[in-house]
Amino acid sequence: MGNDKAVEAYESKGSEGLKEYSETKKALNDAGLSYTDKNVELYNQQGSSGLKDKAQMQQDFDSANVDTSNKKAVAAYEKGGTKALKEYSTYSHLLKNNGVSDTEKTEKIYADKGSEGIQTYAEIKRKADSDGNGSLKKSELKSYLDSTGMSRAQKKYWFGYLSRAKNPY
C-alpha cells in the first residue's frame, strides 16, 4: 500500500508530491500512527502536534481499556483528560459487570452514591422483579423495598429511580 501511495503522489504532483508523501509518512511513523486518510488529514490540518495528541489519546484509551469510538468516553476525555477517562472507564465497566445500561439515571446514581449505588440499583432491579418479566410493577418494587431494612428516605430514593409510578414513600 505504501508504495502505491508513493507512486500515486509522484504521478499526481511529481517530485514535490513524493516529498510531501515521504514527510507525511515519516511524521505518522514518528507518532506511531498508521498511514490512513484520516491520519493524513489530521497531519495536514494540525501538523505533528496533532498526530502526537492523537497518539497520546490512543495510548490513554488503550490503557483505560476503552474504545475511541465511544462518544461518551471521548467527551469525558476532552473535558477532563486521562483522569476523567479513567473515571468513565470504571463507571462503564461497573455498569457492564452489573448488567445495567448507561442512562441519565445511572449517571446520577453513580454521581450520588458511586459504585455501591450502581450495585444496589442492579440488585434491587433483579430482586424486586418477582415475576421475572424484566420490568418492575409498582407493587413488586414496593413489596421488595418494604422487605429490606432501608429507611423511608432510602426507599423513596430508590423507588424514584426504578419506577415512573407515583412514589408511595
Side-chain angles (χ1 to χ4, degrees):
M1 178 179 157
N3 288 339
D4 292 344
K5 292 286 186 181
V7 169
E8 186 181 305
Y10 182 77
E11 288 176 350
S12 170
K13 296 182 181 176
S15 60
E16 188 59 36
L18 187 57
K19 181 182 174 192
E20 286 175 17
Y21 165 79
S22 296
E23 288 173 359
T24 301
K25 185 159 178 62
K26 181 181 181 331
L28 290 167
N29 286 339
D30 289 350
L33 299 172
S34 58
Y35 193 96
T36 65
D37 290 342
K38 203 170 192 177
N39 288 341
V40 169
E41 182 180 343
L42 177 65
Y43 177 68
N44 290 337
Q45 291 175 353
Q46 298 180 20
S48 294
S49 65
L51 296 178
K52 287 177 186 169
D53 290 346
K54 180 177 181 178
Q56 181 63 54
M57 179 180 166
Q58 185 63 57
Q59 185 179 358
D60 292 343
F61 272 69
D62 288 347
S63 71
N65 199 23
V66 178
D67 192 320
T68 54
S69 66
N70 183 319
K71 291 179 182 176
K72 285 189 173 187
V74 171
Y77 185 76
E78 288 173 348
K79 184 176 181 182
T82 306
K83 183 178 179 185
L85 177 64
K86 287 181 181 178
E87 181 67 23
Y88 177 80
S89 175
T90 299
Y91 165 74
S92 179
H93 287 87
L94 179 66
L95 294 180
K96 184 178 180 184
N97 292 340
N98 283 281
V100 178
S101 299
D102 186 2
T103 65
E104 283 186 37
K105 284 182 189 179
T106 55
E107 287 176 7
K108 288 177 185 172
I109 292 167
Y110 187 70
D112 225 15
K113 299 189 175 288
S115 299
E116 190 176 308
I118 296 297
Q119 292 166 342
T120 301
Y121 175 80
E123 180 181 345
I124 293 170
K125 278 185 79 166
R126 277 192 306 276
K127 290 183 176 180
D129 185 14
S130 58
D131 64 10
N133 70 352
S135 65
L136 295 175
K137 294 183 197 88
K138 179 179 181 177
S139 59
E140 286 177 311
L141 183 54
K142 185 174 183 327
S143 176
Y144 175 77
L145 290 173
D146 288 344
S147 75
T148 68
M150 290 184 193
S151 69
R152 184 173 174 83
Q154 290 170 317
K155 289 188 256 187
K156 180 178 183 177
Y157 177 89
W158 289 114
F159 192 95
Y161 278 109
L162 288 156
S163 178
R164 285 187 229 142
K166 185 174 186 224
N167 196 324
Y169 301 104

